């Protein structure tokens, strides 16, 4: 099949020309941020760097980093670089404690984000003849809105399903002959399992491709999904802070994801020292948005551990590639597609009058994550009836649901029964095998 591109000139641009484009955009972007974001201007002043010091992409390393802690400190409007009247949308994801990350978009930002998602859909073989079923969550989560917009740009008939209601997903998929499915890999596996239980064979399923991301998944999982659904499964990566899905996307070669580097410049750093590492090294991925207007983060530390490669790709795209993320340099977990920080659980426990003696246990049954939190009972909360304890567990689980957006099963356990560690407390037991 002849390879198709959504924006060929950019996607196949020679590296030198791309560098030139990135340099021009960066110089403008640094000025924009310095002039409009006092928070970042202070960081630059403290580092002794001014916009005049940034003459090309080679000077990027002179700029300070931003991290989730900065987003928390500057919450909610402190990193906004455009007047509110120019902003048209927010999206949001978990913060490390009670404050969520809120990202802002101008219409220009929404457009460039949707272009990125459109590139991903076209790379997965999508055209205006396709029926694209978007089963990522809609709302504050970026998955649904991002792929919805990309699907419109490609001209696919878009089914804005959101996630869940699996029987309804299957009904629409089969009645309307959906050809592309966009959702988390674990939900794709679940849909596949349900179709299989209902007696569908891969050849009865109209799908030809899937665009799956937002959480780590293995090659083994990819093969399983491809087999049950009878499709080719493509990875897609992104994060709310930079836009959402579509920061990077897989092509037919399926050996890593092309980064949309005309919009997002990627660096790999040593997570301990901050030193920029050469191409091919494993380290923390850092992104600079080169042309976003409202929420243009410069040198944002993603905490995703990854490797970059400029090896020639058979699809003809020249965009740099990132490997599947290989883990994180912080303690963020992704449970059922939702980002969870242990510190969020701790915040809830303290708010509810418990001690921060807890343990999170994550496992996977079939294709669904299980999420249990053991919490030590305190003297003040003590109840000697089973119904009393159940009510307390339910109340805690509800408070955690409000903080996290997903439901844990809470177990109140005897005081001092959670093993005390002599070093760092073991807060998380993750029994899933998500990394190859
Ligand atoms: O998960 C955006 C997204 C939506 C990506 C739909 C792909 C598809 P956040 O909720 O901000 O945004 O979570 C971002 O999720 O830093 C990674 O740790 C993880 N992540 C995202 N995509 C992948 C992937 C969305 N393909 C965080 N593989 C990121 C592994 C991923 N991890």
């Amino acid at each position: 099949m002849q390879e198709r591109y959504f924006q060929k000139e950019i996607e196949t641009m020679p590296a030198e020309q791309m560098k030139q484009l990135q340099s021009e955009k960066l110089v403008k972007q640094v000025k924009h941020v310095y002039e409009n974001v006092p928070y970042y201007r202070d960081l630059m002043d403290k580092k002794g760097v001014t916009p005049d010091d940034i003459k090309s992409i080679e000077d990027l390393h002179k700029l300070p980093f931003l991290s989730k802690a900065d987003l928390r400190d500057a919450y909610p409007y402190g990193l906004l670089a455009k007047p509110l009247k120019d902003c048209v949308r927010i999206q949001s994801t978990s913060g490390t404690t009670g404050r969520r990350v809120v990202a802002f978009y101008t219409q220009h930002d929404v457009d460039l984000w949707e272009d990125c998602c459109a590139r991903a859909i076209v790379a997965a073989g999508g055209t205006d003849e396709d029926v694209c079923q978007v089963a990522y969550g809609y709302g504050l989560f970026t998955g649904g809105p991002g792929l919805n917009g990309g699907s419109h740009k490609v001209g696919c008939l878009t089914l804005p399903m959101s996630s869940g209601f699996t029987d309804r997903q299957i009904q629409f998929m089969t009645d309307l002959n959906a050809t592309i499915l966009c959702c988390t890999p674990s939900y794709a596996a679940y849909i596949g399992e349900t179709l299989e239980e209902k007696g569908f064979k891969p050849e009865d399923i109209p799908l030809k491709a899937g665009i799956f991301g937002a959480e780590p998944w293995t090659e083994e999982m990819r093969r399983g999904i491809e087999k049950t659904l009878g499709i080719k499964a493509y990875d897609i990566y992104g994060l709310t802070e930079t836009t959402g899905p579509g920061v990077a996307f897989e092509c037919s070669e399926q050996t890593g994801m092309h980064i949309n580097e005309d919009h997002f410049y990627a660096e790999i750093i040593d997570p301990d020292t901050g030193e920029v590492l050469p191409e091919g090294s494993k380290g923390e991925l850092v992104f600079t948005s080169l042309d976003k207007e409202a929420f243009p983060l410069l040198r944002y530390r993603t905490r995703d551990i990854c490797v970059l490669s400029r090896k020639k790709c058979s699809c003809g795209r020249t965009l740099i590639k990132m490997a599947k993320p290989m883990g994180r340099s912080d303690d963020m977990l992704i449970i059922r597609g939702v980002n969870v920080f242990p510190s969020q659980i701790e915040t809830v426990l303290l708010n509810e009058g418990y001690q921060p003696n807890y343990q999170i246990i994550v496992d996977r049954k079939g294709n669904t994550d299980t999420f249990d939190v053991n919490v030590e009972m305190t003297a003040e909360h003590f109840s000697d009836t089973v119904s009393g304890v159940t009510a307390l567990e339910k109340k805690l689980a509800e408070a955690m649901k409000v903080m996290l957006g997903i439901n844990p099963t809470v177990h109140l356990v005897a005081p001092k029964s959670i093993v005390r560690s002599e070093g760092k407390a073991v807060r998380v037991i993750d029994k899933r095998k998500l990394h190859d």
Side-chain angles (χ1 to χ4, degrees), residues 54-103:
I54 310 298
K55 299 201 165 55
S56 83
I57 205 77
E58 310 283 352
D59 296 320
L60 184 63
H61 67 97
K62 296 178 182 164
L63 294 172
F65 291 116
L66 275 176
S67 70
K68 239 180 174 131
D70 292 299
L71 267 56
R72 194 178 55 219
D73 293 348
Y75 175 90
Y77 288 126
L79 287 165
L80 194 59
K82 276 284 195 184
L84 270 191
K85 74 170 178 48
D86 295 337
C87 299
V88 297
R89 171 99 67 83
I90 66 149
Q91 301 288 161
S92 176
T93 190
S94 321
T96 47
T97 55
R99 286 185 179 172
R100 289 180 62 88
V101 170
V102 177

Side-chain angles (χ1 to χ4, degrees), residues 111-146:
D111 263 344
L112 77 83
W113 174 26
E114 292 179 353
D115 282 346
C116 291
C117 290
R119 290 180 194 173
I121 293 171
V122 172
T127 71
D128 55 7
E129 311 249 352
D130 279 293
V131 178
C132 182
Q133 178 159 359
V134 183
Y136 284 110
Y138 279 65
L140 289 172
F141 180 57
T142 53

Side-chain angles (χ1 to χ4, degrees), residues 143-204:
L147 281 140
N148 191 89
S151 172
H152 276 232
K153 289 225 170 193
V154 177
C156 303
L157 175 66
T158 309
L159 314 186
M161 303 297 298
S162 200
S163 55
F165 302 102
T166 308
D167 281 346
R168 191 172 68 186
Q169 300 277 1
I170 289 174
Q171 189 189 347
F172 275 78
M173 179 185 291
T174 50
D175 289 355
L176 297 181
N177 286 329
T179 47
I180 300 177
L181 174 66
C182 307
C183 61
T184 59
S186 43
Y187 194 44
Y190 182 71
I191 293 177
E193 220 172 69
T194 314
L195 279 161
E196 210 169 40
E197 276 164 22
K198 288 182 186 290
F200 283 88
K201 300 211 165 44
E203 56 275 20
D204 307 327

Side-chain angles (χ1 to χ4, degrees), residues 68 92-94 100-101 113 136 140-144 147 183-185 211-217 234-248 257 300 302-305 322-328 330 332 334 337-339 435:
K68 239 180 174 131
S92 176
T93 190
S94 321
R100 289 180 62 88
V101 170
W113 174 26
Y136 284 110
L140 289 172
F141 180 57
T142 53
L147 281 140
C183 61
T184 59
I211 303 177
F212 307 134
E215 61 183 5
W217 53 310
Y234 297 82
D235 203 350
I236 184 166
Y237 168 90
L239 59 159
T240 313
E241 294 91 322
T242 54
T243 44
V247 169
M257 294 174 269
Y300 181 69
T302 64
R303 299 287 174 185
D304 289 317
I305 301 294
M322 59 179 271
K324 263 182 186 303
M326 297 153 182
R328 299 207 28 110
D330 64 5
M332 187 180 93
I334 304 184
V338 176
N339 302 349
H435 303 290

